[in-house]
Structures are given as structure tokens and as C-alpha cells.
Amino acid sequence: MSPPVKKPFAIGWEGAIFLALLLYPLFPIFESLFFRATQRSLGEQLPLVFIFALLAYGLNVVVGYTGLLHLGIAAFFAVGAYVAGIFTTAAYSFGWPFWVVLPLGVLAATVLGLLLGAPTLRLRGDYLALVTLGFGEVTKFTLRNMEKITAGTRGLSPIPPPSLPLVPPSAWADDYRPFYYLTLGVLILVALLLHNLERSRLGRAWIALREDELAANCMGLNPNKLKLAAFALGAGLAGLAGVLYATRLTSTADPNAYDFNRSIFMVCCLILGGLGSRLGALVGVIMLVGFDNILTPIIDSKIQEWFPNSGGRICLSFTGWRLAIFGLALILMMRFRPEGIVPSSRMKHELHPDEAVSNGIDPITMGRNTGEVETLGRKGGQS
């Protein structure tokens, strides 16, 4: 047997995106050109994209790696945000710094994820989706009704900025770069963590569980422990994103910001980008969050310039059409590229076995516990 051939070092598309994002603030000409064309700051908007990318990474662990349909990720997002609000605002006597609250929010969301996952270990498919959906709605209404703790629909504010050496407190409000690099740095660290986790024993076990739970159980894997680990990690990453989100807004915002729409929006990001793919999750968030938070206001302002006498008619407002455009894009994606824009290699081989054969991968079939026959890919016919 010939020794494996080492591949040359390659940064990859994900690394190229992160490198471009790291270099963007170092060249103010791009920010000034974007502001001149749109009257909006791209650097101010990108930290929200990074935060939602963290949330998508957490959901991808549960839905993409493990194959569990989770529709309540916004609940853990809310837990992180309200932990930041309770332990940092002047409404309470804690006054803890950001760097203490950040792991605390992750820990609180992780524990809540375990509490949700433990009773639902035997549920699959639609039943698990309904339970997680209900949990998300219960969390939202609980936050709204506990006004003495959460301030209800007003939210908790102001949340102070993080403290960093050589960064004065005023810089967080006057300059986008400190929070930009903070959120981007956290996102890159999480991406590296998931990169190593995918190739670890736990990551391979999650993939086996997603492909066939019965077969994974027969091979000695413990599905209950694997599901709990996925729930815990996904919830912890959502709590991390929640702490950063509340800190960015300097408020926990209205509990409606953490409703079912937020959860389904993140699921759509994964579907558009590609389930089980880190790069797909990142691309999906960039496209959908960028479309919603950056492109839509720009087009609306341009329409107002072109039609100043529109009188606010919804037919001449891009905001009124954005959901229709969003839905049409999803329909076309599911029809012509169901694996997503940047799918994982395994998902691509399953849905396009002809391409797998042309790339030197022999398709094989594997029976599942449902009796269905799926097409998988195996390199060079090896086991």
C-alpha cells in the first residue's frame, strides 16, 4: 500500500474570506467608496453578519452534523443576550465585566441545551422539530412576561462595551473597528474549533449518527451521548452569539428579536449555503443577512431618490417585496441545487452520484433503518 500523498498547503475559500475580512479595515478606501455610493457604513454592518455566522455555526452542529431538526436555536441566542443584560447593566448590582459574562452566557446556554436535549433523546424528525419550536416560543413569552427581571418589551440597557487594553471606552461607539475585530476573531476561533472537531472521533460519530442511527448504535456508538453533545455545543455557540449581539446593540432588545422567525431564518441560511458545511453556513449568512440588513436599505433609499413622489406605496418599496424575493430564491435553490451553494462533499456525492463517478469516486448504496436506499460516495472503492 503506497503511503498517503501530502497535499500542498492551501488556504481554501473559507480562509480567503476570513483573510479578506481581516484586511478590510486596513484599507479605508474601500469603506469610503462604499459609504460614498450608499451613504451607509459596511464596517458597521459586518459585525452583525459575524454574530449571525456564529449562530449558524451552532445550528449547523445540530442540524448539519447530527441531522437533528432544531427549530428553537433563537431561545439559546436569547439566553446569552439576557445573561449579558442581567450581569452588566446598572439595573442590577452585579456589574460584571464583559470577559466574565461571555463564558457565563455560553455556560448558561449549554446547560439549557442539555436540559432540552435530555427529555427529547427518543424524538426524531418532525416530533423533535415541534418540541424545539415550542421551547423557543415558551422562552420568548417567558422573557416578555418576566418584566421585573427582563424589563419586558423594553429590554435591558445600556450594556457597557468590553474593556480592552489600548482601546478607550469611547472608541467602541466612535469607531467600528474594535468590535469588528472582536467578533471576527471569535468567529475565526470557532471556525478553527469546528474544523478540528469535524476530523475528530466525535465529529465522525456525529456524521455516522446522521447517516444511520441504527447502524451507528450497532457499531458501539452511544446515540444519546452524541445527541446531548450536539445540543450542548450548538446551544453554547448560540449563547456566545447572544452575548456578542446584546453587547453590539448595547441592549437585549425586544424578546420578539428571538422568536421563531429568527430560528427559521438561520435554518434557511444553512439550506441556502449547504447543510453540514462550515463554508456553506458562512456563505449563507453573508448572503441572507447581507441581503436583509445591507442590500435592502440601500435599494429602498435608491428607490426613494428615483421616485420621490411615491407616497410610501408598498409596490415601490423593496422592503415590501423582499420576502417574496427571498422565498423565490429558496424555491429555485431547492429545485435546481438542493445541496446548497457550497455543500459538504458527502452531501454533494449523495445528491449527484454522476459527478462523483466523474471525479473518480465509486458510488455505493447503503440501506438505512427506514428501508430507503441512499447513494453514498466511496473514494477509489475503498472501505
Side-chain angles (χ1 to χ4, degrees):
M1 183 177 178
S2 59
V5 179
K6 292 184 179 181
K7 295 182 178 179
F9 174 77
I11 188 173
W13 284 108
E14 187 180 21
I17 292 175
F18 285 141
L19 180 61
L21 292 172
L22 284 170
L23 295 177
Y24 176 79
L26 302 181
F27 298 92
I29 182 65
F30 296 118
E31 177 73 7
S32 61
L33 288 175
F34 187 87
F35 185 83
R36 191 181 306 167
T38 63
Q39 301 302 310
R40 294 174 66 86
S41 171
L42 181 61
E44 291 283 349
Q45 300 297 324
L46 283 177
L48 286 178
V49 176
F50 303 154
I51 291 169
F52 287 123
L54 282 172
L55 186 59
Y57 278 165
L59 184 61
N60 195 41
V61 170
V62 184
V63 180
Y65 295 169
T66 319
L68 304 174
L69 186 52
H70 194 328
L71 299 180
I73 195 69
F76 307 103
F77 190 48
V79 169
Y82 275 88
V83 165
I86 290 172
F87 287 96
T88 60
T89 57
Y92 294 91
S93 58
F94 297 102
W96 291 359
F98 169 82
W99 300 108
V100 175
V101 173
L102 186 66
L104 184 62
V106 174
L107 178 62
T110 301
V111 172
L112 193 62
L114 291 173
L115 293 177
L116 172 65
T120 60
L121 292 176
R122 295 183 179 274
L123 298 179
R124 301 177 186 173
D126 299 339
Y127 300 101
L128 178 62
L130 288 174
V131 170
T132 55
L133 188 156
F135 175 78
E137 291 300 296
V138 167
T139 302
K140 182 189 73 173
F141 284 106
T142 300
L143 294 174
R144 181 186 298 174
N145 294 329
M146 296 177 62
E147 293 192 12
K148 293 185 178 179
I149 298 176
T150 63
T153 57
R154 301 188 308 275
L156 296 170
S157 62
I159 296 177
S163 57
L164 283 174
L166 304 179
V167 180
S170 60
W172 296 94
D174 301 335
D175 191 350
Y176 75 87
R177 288 175 295 181
F179 205 84
Y180 179 99
Y181 277 119
L182 172 63
T183 50
L184 180 58
V186 173
L187 180 63
I188 292 175
L189 290 176
V190 170
L192 291 174
L193 168 68
L194 295 179
H195 172 79
N196 293 326
L197 193 61
E198 287 175 10
R199 289 155 178 78
S200 68
R201 182 176 181 180
L202 177 60
R204 295 193 297 269
W206 278 338
I207 300 300
L209 181 67
R210 182 190 70 189
E211 295 300 326
D212 194 323
E213 182 175 341
L214 181 59
N217 195 10
C218 293
M219 293 299 293
L221 300 177
N222 189 328
N224 292 340
K225 290 183 179 180
L226 293 174
K227 291 179 182 179
L228 283 177
F231 269 110
L233 180 58
L237 292 178
L240 173 64
V243 174
L244 293 172
Y245 180 72
T247 306
R248 177 68 178 85
L249 298 181
T250 68
S251 170
T252 57
D254 189 309
N256 287 326
Y258 314 99
D259 61 359
F260 172 69
N261 291 333
R262 180 72 68 194
S263 296
I264 204 67
F265 182 80
M266 301 315 301
V267 173
C268 291
C269 289
L270 296 185
I271 293 174
L272 181 66
L275 284 172
S277 169
R278 290 190 326 275
L279 178 58
L282 182 62
V283 170
V285 169
I286 290 174
M287 293 186 66
L288 291 189
V289 178
F291 171 80
D292 205 34
N293 291 5
I294 300 175
L295 186 61
T296 297
I298 292 173
I299 296 178
D300 272 338
S301 63
K302 294 298 181 182
I303 290 176
Q304 293 299 322
E305 293 179 6
W306 297 334
F307 303 98
N309 299 323
S310 61
R313 286 179 291 180
I314 194 170
C315 62
L316 293 178
S317 171
F318 186 76
T319 303
W321 292 95
R322 65 183 180 87
L323 291 180
I325 297 172
F326 175 65
L328 179 62
L330 285 179
I331 293 173
L332 294 175
M333 177 61 64
M334 297 308 296
R335 171 61 182 85
F336 296 104
R337 195 172 176 84
E339 70 274 21
I341 297 175
V342 192
S344 63
S345 58
R346 181 183 293 270
M347 190 69 68
K348 185 177 181 180
H349 295 158
E350 288 181 6
L351 295 175
H352 299 283
D354 296 337
E355 295 182 10
V357 173
S358 64
N359 292 329
I361 300 173
D362 298 330
I364 62 172
T365 58
M366 174 183 291
R368 289 191 175 185
N369 55 352
T370 58
E372 300 174 349
V373 177
E374 296 289 336
T375 303
L376 302 178
R378 179 176 292 173
K379 194 74 172 178
Q382 298 176 0
S383 57

